[in-house]
Amino acid sequence: MTGADSGIGWFDSADVDVLRPLVLDCLAVPRWGDGVLAARPFGEVDALVAAADVVLSDDEVLAAIAHHPRIGERGRGSSAAWSDGEQSGVDGSASGLLVDANARYEARFGHVFLICATGLSGADVLASLAARMGNEPAFELRVVNRELCRIAAIRLRKLVDRERQPPHRR
């Protein structure tokens, strides 16, 4: 598939003012979004995803987390549709356990638990949360950085694979 056929063509050529809010809906870190936009043109979606995989500062990680709902909760803000779709596999049967586990995690680390939930069940999320409780706080921020980049990659792929025209913000 050529770049234009995959949707990357419109992304590579769209006005920065149109793209910036869309990119920031994928990951709400201005330095990251500006870096992605400055690196255009990509020509291929894989090149875009590779450029978007970066190490964020601790402050950027914490700021980005603020734009994500707790696992098991509905999203809010402009990226709510992304979050709701990504968490669709987390079944309601684990919701009570997730509330308790989220509270323990937040008490330990001082921020919400964040995981790339696409394709995960409630049991998968609970197992990951339990495993990560033993992490040191500084290491856990690096894990969260990794998860944020995984989420951003999925969102960027969906963004460029939409119609060949840039989508309108909801």
Side-chain angles (χ1 to χ4, degrees), residues 7-14 19 22 159-160 163-167:
I8 195 71
W10 78 261
F11 186 90
D12 281 346
S13 62
L19 282 183
L22 299 171
L159 179 65
V160 299
E163 300 298 320
R164 293 183 193 184
Q165 300 292 322

Side-chain angles (χ1 to χ4, degrees), residues 77-88:
S78 59
S79 64
W82 290 120
S83 295
D84 293 346
E86 291 156 1
Q87 292 190 33
S88 64

Side-chain angles (χ1 to χ4, degrees), residues 6-99:
S6 70
I8 195 71
W10 78 261
F11 186 90
D12 281 346
S13 62
D15 185 83
V16 170
D17 292 334
V18 171
L19 282 183
R20 192 168 199 277
L22 299 171
V23 168
L24 291 177
D25 278 350
C26 295
L27 179 59
V29 176
R31 178 185 62 88
W32 172 87
D34 292 343
V36 167
L37 294 172
R40 295 180 308 147
F42 293 103
E44 296 180 358
V45 176
D46 288 342
L48 165 62
V49 170
D53 188 11
V54 301
V55 175
L56 305 170
S57 72
D58 291 353
D59 288 341
E60 288 171 328
V61 169
L62 293 171
I65 291 171
H67 294 273
H68 288 267
R70 287 176 182 88
I71 293 292
E73 291 183 359
R74 296 208 34 94
R76 60 194 183 287
S78 59
S79 64
W82 290 120
S83 295
D84 293 346
E86 291 156 1
Q87 292 190 33
S88 64
V90 179
D91 53 2
S93 64
S95 63
L97 295 172
L98 281 170
V99 169

Side-chain angles (χ1 to χ4, degrees), residues 132-144:
R132 287 171 49 187
M133 286 294 288
N135 289 344
E136 291 300 318
F139 181 77
E140 181 60 14
L141 282 177
R142 297 301 92 215
V143 173
V144 173

